[in-house]
Amino acid sequence: MDFTLTYHPTPDEVGRALQHGVGRQLRAVRVALPAVLAASGLACLLLGTVGLGAGLLAGAVAFPPVLTGVIRRTARRQLGYLCVPTTLHVTGDGYSMSTEQSTSAVKWSLFSDVVATPEFWLFFVNRQFAGFLPRRAFDPAQQTALDALFAPQPTPASR
């Protein structure tokens, strides 16, 4: 595998990729924190601390949309750097990405997980969202090659 292509990410596309990636990274927090806040709020209400209990319950309800807003605001700050014409050179070892402002290269072995979605390949390093490639930038043959590269390898026990 060795191909080079140029594409221009759109703000909506970058926003969706960041929302998917960061949302996946923060999935446990998105579920656990509201559950802890709700349980603590109920406990406070049962103990007669109505103000604190109501505040904790309100926090449990408000946390998910606030987190989504923070992710979107962070994404908007990155758009100027990410939504520019980009040239990708993809090989079996990794990829390099260059714009007028920057050039970077990454080996596939850096990523501990690659999640394929209908729109993107999302890259993670130790459960932290590290980047993405949009499927639309690649022709069908290139997408098939990348899907095969990122497909989970069977473990010796499952063969």
Side-chain angles (χ1 to χ4, degrees):
M1 168 182 348
D2 190 340
F3 45 85
T4 301
L5 56 100
T6 300
Y7 78 103
H8 192 147
T10 66
D12 287 342
E13 181 178 53
V14 171
R16 286 190 308 275
L18 291 173
Q19 192 155 0
H20 285 303
V22 175
R24 188 175 197 81
Q25 173 184 324
L26 298 176
R27 187 180 323 181
V29 171
R30 187 175 291 204
V31 172
L33 188 57
V36 168
L37 289 172
S40 299
L42 289 173
C44 287
L45 289 175
L46 292 173
L47 293 172
T49 313
V50 176
L52 181 58
L56 289 169
L57 289 172
V61 171
F63 180 75
V66 168
L67 180 61
T68 299
V70 168
I71 292 169
R72 285 185 181 149
R73 193 169 38 259
T74 301
R76 278 193 298 268
R77 284 189 217 133
Q78 301 297 319
L79 293 179
Y81 302 108
L82 298 174
C83 295
V84 295
T86 303
T87 300
L88 290 171
H89 180 218
V90 180
T91 68
D93 292 329
Y95 74 96
S96 63
M97 178 179 72
S98 59
T99 69
E100 283 187 14
Q101 296 89 9
S102 67
T103 299
S104 62
V106 180
K107 291 193 178 276
W108 300 126
S109 60
L110 171 72
F111 303 119
S112 54
D113 192 20
V114 178
V115 175
T117 73
E119 193 175 10
F120 307 105
W121 290 282
L122 305 172
F123 303 117
F124 295 85
V125 176
N126 298 326
R127 298 186 182 166
Q128 300 293 314
F129 179 60
F132 70 96
L133 290 176
R135 286 184 178 271
R136 74 167 178 85
F138 301 90
D139 67 34
Q142 294 167 337
Q143 288 182 28
T144 300
L146 287 168
D147 280 332
L149 177 70
F150 300 140
Q153 301 301 316
T155 60
S158 66
R159 287 185 214 169

Coordinates of all heavy atoms in Angstrom, one line a residue, residues 69-120:
G69 N -21.2 20.5 24.8 CA -20.9 21.8 24.5 C -19.4 22.1 24.6 O -18.8 22.8 23.7
V70 N -18.7 21.6 25.6 CA -17.3 21.8 25.7 C -16.5 21.2 24.6 O -15.6 21.8 24.0 CB -16.8 21.3 27.1 CG1 -15.3 21.2 27.2 CG2 -17.4 22.1 28.2
I71 N -16.9 20.0 24.2 CA -16.3 19.3 23.1 C -16.5 20.1 21.8 O -15.5 20.3 21.0 CB -16.9 17.9 22.9 CG1 -16.4 17.0 24.1 CG2 -16.4 17.3 21.6 CD1 -17.2 15.6 24.1
R72 N -17.7 20.6 21.5 CA -17.9 21.4 20.3 C -17.1 22.7 20.4 O -16.5 23.1 19.3 CB -19.4 21.8 20.2 CG -20.2 20.6 19.8 CD -21.6 21.0 19.5 NE -22.4 19.8 19.1 CZ -23.6 19.6 19.4 NH1 -24.3 20.5 20.1 NH2 -24.2 18.5 19.0
R73 N -17.0 23.4 21.5 CA -16.2 24.6 21.6 C -14.8 24.4 21.4 O -14.1 25.1 20.7 CB -16.5 25.2 23.0 CG -16.0 26.7 23.1 CD -16.4 27.4 24.4 NE -16.5 26.7 25.6 CZ -17.6 26.2 26.2 NH1 -18.7 26.4 25.6 NH2 -17.5 25.5 27.3
T74 N -14.2 23.2 21.9 CA -12.9 22.9 21.7 C -12.6 22.6 20.2 O -11.6 23.0 19.6 CB -12.5 21.6 22.5 OG1 -12.7 22.0 23.9 CG2 -11.1 21.2 22.3
A75 N -13.6 21.9 19.6 CA -13.4 21.6 18.1 C -13.4 22.9 17.3 O -12.6 23.0 16.4 CB -14.6 20.7 17.7
R76 N -14.3 23.9 17.7 CA -14.3 25.1 16.9 C -12.9 25.8 17.0 O -12.5 26.5 16.0 CB -15.4 26.0 17.4 CG -16.7 25.7 16.9 CD -17.7 26.8 17.1 NE -18.0 27.1 18.5 CZ -18.9 26.5 19.2 NH1 -19.7 25.6 18.7 NH2 -19.1 26.8 20.5
R77 N -12.2 25.7 18.1 CA -10.9 26.4 18.2 C -9.9 25.7 17.3 O -8.9 26.4 16.9 CB -10.4 26.3 19.7 CG -11.1 27.3 20.6 CD -10.5 27.3 21.9 NE -11.5 27.5 22.9 CZ -11.6 26.8 24.1 NH1 -10.7 25.8 24.4 NH2 -12.6 27.0 24.9
Q78 N -10.1 24.4 17.0 CA -9.1 23.7 16.2 C -9.4 23.8 14.7 O -8.6 23.5 13.9 CB -9.1 22.2 16.6 CG -8.8 22.0 18.0 CD -7.4 22.4 18.4 OE1 -6.5 22.2 17.6 NE2 -7.3 23.0 19.5
L79 N -10.6 24.4 14.3 CA -10.9 24.4 12.9 C -10.0 25.1 12.0 O -9.7 24.7 10.9 CB -12.4 24.9 12.7 CG -13.5 24.1 13.3 CD1 -14.8 24.8 13.1 CD2 -13.5 22.7 12.8
G80 N -9.4 26.2 12.5 CA -8.5 27.0 11.6 C -7.2 26.2 11.3 O -6.6 26.4 10.2
Y81 N -6.8 25.3 12.1 CA -5.7 24.4 11.9 C -6.0 23.2 11.1 O -5.2 22.7 10.3 CB -5.0 24.0 13.2 CG -4.6 25.1 14.1 CD1 -5.3 25.4 15.2 CD2 -3.5 25.9 13.8 CE1 -5.0 26.5 16.1 CE2 -3.2 27.0 14.6 CZ -3.9 27.2 15.7 OH -3.5 28.3 16.5
L82 N -7.2 22.7 11.2 CA -7.6 21.4 10.7 C -8.3 21.5 9.3 O -8.3 20.6 8.5 CB -8.4 20.6 11.7 CG -7.7 20.2 13.0 CD1 -8.7 19.6 13.9 CD2 -6.6 19.3 12.7
C83 N -9.0 22.6 9.1 CA -9.8 22.7 7.9 C -9.1 23.5 6.8 O -9.5 24.5 6.3 CB -11.1 23.4 8.2 SG -12.2 22.5 9.3
V84 N -8.0 22.9 6.4 CA -7.1 23.4 5.3 C -6.8 22.3 4.3 O -6.9 21.1 4.7 CB -5.8 24.0 5.9 CG1 -6.1 25.2 6.8 CG2 -5.0 23.0 6.6
P85 N -6.5 22.7 3.1 CA -6.1 21.6 2.1 C -4.9 20.8 2.7 O -4.0 21.3 3.2 CB -5.6 22.4 0.9 CG -6.4 23.7 1.0 CD -6.5 24.0 2.5
T86 N -5.1 19.5 2.7 CA -4.2 18.5 3.3 C -3.8 17.4 2.4 O -4.6 16.9 1.7 CB -4.9 17.9 4.6 OG1 -5.3 18.9 5.4 CG2 -4.0 16.9 5.3
T87 N -2.5 17.2 2.3 CA -2.0 16.1 1.5 C -1.6 14.9 2.4 O -0.9 15.1 3.4 CB -0.8 16.5 0.7 OG1 -1.2 17.6 -0.2 CG2 -0.2 15.4 -0.2
L88 N -2.1 13.7 2.1 CA -1.8 12.5 2.9 C -1.0 11.6 2.0 O -1.3 11.4 0.8 CB -3.1 11.8 3.2 CG -4.0 12.4 4.3 CD1 -5.3 11.7 4.4 CD2 -3.3 12.4 5.6
H89 N 0.0 11.0 2.6 CA 0.8 9.9 2.0 C 0.6 8.7 2.9 O 1.1 8.8 4.0 CB 2.2 10.3 1.8 CG 3.0 9.3 1.1 ND1 4.3 9.0 1.5 CD2 2.7 8.4 0.1 CE1 4.8 8.0 0.7 NE2 3.8 7.6 -0.1
V90 N 0.0 7.7 2.4 CA -0.3 6.5 3.2 C 0.5 5.3 2.7 O 0.5 5.1 1.5 CB -1.8 6.2 3.1 CG1 -2.2 5.0 4.0 CG2 -2.7 7.4 3.6
T91 N 1.1 4.7 3.7 CA 1.9 3.4 3.4 C 1.5 2.3 4.3 O 0.7 2.6 5.3 CB 3.4 3.6 3.4 OG1 3.8 3.8 4.8 CG2 3.9 4.8 2.6
G92 N 2.0 1.2 4.2 CA 1.7 0.1 5.1 C 2.3 0.3 6.5 O 1.8 -0.3 7.5
D93 N 3.3 1.2 6.6 CA 3.9 1.5 7.9 C 3.2 2.7 8.6 O 3.3 2.7 9.9 CB 5.4 1.9 7.7 CG 6.2 0.7 7.2 OD1 5.9 -0.4 7.6 OD2 7.2 0.9 6.5
G94 N 2.6 3.6 7.9 CA 2.0 4.7 8.6 C 1.5 5.7 7.6 O 1.3 5.4 6.4
Y95 N 1.4 7.0 8.0 CA 1.0 8.0 7.1 C 1.7 9.3 7.5 O 2.1 9.6 8.6 CB -0.5 8.2 7.0 CG -1.2 8.9 8.2 CD1 -1.4 10.3 8.2 CD2 -1.5 8.2 9.4 CE1 -2.0 10.9 9.3 CE2 -2.1 8.8 10.4 CZ -2.4 10.1 10.4 OH -2.9 10.8 11.5
S96 N 1.8 10.2 6.4 CA 2.3 11.6 6.7 C 1.2 12.5 6.2 O 0.5 12.2 5.2 CB 3.6 11.8 6.0 OG 3.5 11.7 4.6
M97 N 1.1 13.6 6.8 CA 0.1 14.6 6.5 C 0.8 15.9 6.4 O 1.6 16.3 7.3 CB -0.9 14.6 7.7 CG -2.0 15.6 7.5 SD -3.2 15.5 8.9 CE -2.2 16.2 10.2
S98 N 0.5 16.7 5.4 CA 1.1 18.0 5.3 C 0.1 19.0 4.8 O -0.8 18.8 4.0 CB 2.3 17.9 4.3 OG 2.0 17.5 3.1
T99 N 0.3 20.2 5.4 CA -0.5 21.4 5.0 C 0.5 22.5 4.7 O 1.7 22.3 4.9 CB -1.5 21.8 6.1 OG1 -0.7 22.3 7.2 CG2 -2.4 20.7 6.5
E100 N 0.0 23.7 4.4 CA 0.9 24.8 4.3 C 1.7 25.2 5.6 O 2.8 25.6 5.6 CB 0.2 26.1 3.8 CG -0.1 26.1 2.3 CD -0.7 27.4 1.9 OE1 -0.6 28.4 2.6 OE2 -1.3 27.4 0.8
Q101 N 1.0 24.9 6.7 CA 1.6 25.3 8.0 C 2.4 24.2 8.7 O 3.2 24.4 9.6 CB 0.5 25.7 9.0 CG -0.3 26.9 8.6 CD -1.5 26.6 7.7 OE1 -1.9 25.4 7.6 NE2 -2.1 27.6 7.1
S102 N 2.1 22.9 8.4 CA 2.7 21.8 9.1 C 2.9 20.5 8.3 O 2.2 20.3 7.3 CB 1.9 21.5 10.4 OG 0.7 21.0 10.0
T103 N 3.8 19.7 8.8 CA 3.9 18.4 8.3 C 4.1 17.4 9.5 O 4.9 17.8 10.4 CB 5.2 18.3 7.4 OG1 5.0 19.2 6.3 CG2 5.4 16.9 6.9
S104 N 3.5 16.3 9.5 CA 3.7 15.3 10.5 C 3.6 13.9 9.9 O 3.0 13.7 8.9 CB 2.6 15.5 11.6 OG 1.3 15.2 11.1
A105 N 4.3 13.0 10.6 CA 4.3 11.6 10.1 C 4.0 10.7 11.4 O 4.5 11.0 12.5 CB 5.6 11.2 9.5
V106 N 3.2 9.6 11.2 CA 2.9 8.8 12.3 C 3.0 7.3 11.8 O 2.5 7.0 10.7 CB 1.5 9.1 12.8 CG1 1.1 8.1 13.9 CG2 1.3 10.5 13.2
K107 N 3.5 6.5 12.6 CA 3.5 5.0 12.2 C 2.3 4.4 12.8 O 1.8 4.8 13.9 CB 4.8 4.4 12.8 CG 6.1 4.8 12.1 CD 7.2 3.9 12.5 CE 8.4 4.3 11.8 NZ 8.5 3.7 10.4
W108 N 1.7 3.5 12.1 CA 0.5 2.8 12.6 C 0.7 2.2 14.0 O -0.2 2.1 14.8 CB 0.0 1.7 11.6 CG -0.3 2.2 10.2 CD1 0.2 1.8 9.1 CD2 -1.2 3.3 9.9 NE1 -0.3 2.5 8.0 CE2 -1.2 3.4 8.5 CE3 -2.1 4.1 10.6 CZ2 -2.0 4.3 7.8 CZ3 -2.8 5.1 9.9 CH2 -2.8 5.2 8.5
S109 N 1.9 1.7 14.2 CA 2.2 1.0 15.5 C 2.0 1.9 16.7 O 1.9 1.5 17.8 CB 3.6 0.4 15.5 OG 4.6 1.5 15.3
L110 N 2.0 3.3 16.5 CA 1.7 4.2 17.6 C 0.3 4.0 18.2 O 0.1 4.1 19.4 CB 1.9 5.6 17.1 CG 1.4 6.7 18.1 CD1 2.4 6.8 19.3 CD2 1.3 8.1 17.4
F111 N -0.6 3.7 17.3 CA -2.0 3.6 17.8 C -2.3 2.3 18.5 O -2.1 1.2 17.9 CB -3.0 3.8 16.6 CG -2.7 5.1 15.9 CD1 -2.3 5.1 14.5 CD2 -2.8 6.3 16.5 CE1 -2.1 6.3 13.9 CE2 -2.6 7.5 15.9 CZ -2.2 7.5 14.6
S112 N -2.9 2.4 19.7 CA -3.3 1.2 20.4 C -4.7 0.7 19.9 O -5.0 -0.5 20.2 CB -3.3 1.5 21.9 OG -4.1 2.6 22.2
D113 N -5.4 1.6 19.3 CA -6.8 1.2 18.8 C -7.1 2.0 17.6 O -6.9 3.2 17.6 CB -7.8 1.3 19.9 CG -9.1 0.7 19.6 OD1 -9.2 -0.2 18.7 OD2 -10.1 1.0 20.3
V114 N -7.7 1.4 16.6 CA -8.3 2.1 15.5 C -9.8 1.7 15.4 O -10.1 0.5 15.3 CB -7.6 1.7 14.2 CG1 -8.2 2.5 13.0 CG2 -6.1 2.1 14.3
V115 N -10.7 2.6 15.4 CA -12.1 2.4 15.4 C -12.6 2.8 14.0 O -12.4 4.0 13.7 CB -12.8 3.1 16.5 CG1 -14.3 2.9 16.4 CG2 -12.3 2.6 17.9
A116 N -13.2 1.9 13.3 CA -13.7 2.2 12.0 C -15.2 2.6 12.1 O -16.0 1.8 12.8 CB -13.6 1.1 11.0
T117 N -15.6 3.7 11.6 CA -17.0 4.1 11.6 C -17.4 4.3 10.1 O -16.5 4.3 9.3 CB -17.2 5.5 12.4 OG1 -16.7 6.5 11.6 CG2 -16.6 5.4 13.8
P118 N -18.6 4.5 9.8 CA -19.0 4.7 8.4 C -18.4 5.9 7.8 O -18.2 6.0 6.6 CB -20.5 4.8 8.5 CG -20.9 4.1 9.7 CD -19.8 4.3 10.7
E119 N -18.0 6.9 8.6 CA -17.5 8.1 8.1 C -16.0 8.3 8.3 O -15.3 9.0 7.5 CB -18.2 9.3 8.7 CG -18.0 10.6 8.0 CD -18.8 11.7 8.6 OE1 -19.5 11.6 9.6 OE2 -18.8 12.8 8.0
F120 N -15.4 7.7 9.3 CA -14.0 7.9 9.7 C -13.3 6.7 10.2 O -13.9 5.7 10.5 CB -13.9 8.9 10.9 CG -14.7 10.2 10.7 CD1 -15.9 10.4 11.4 CD2 -14.2 11.2 9.9 CE1 -16.6 11.6 11.2 CE2 -14.9 12.4 9.8 CZ -16.1 12.6 10.4

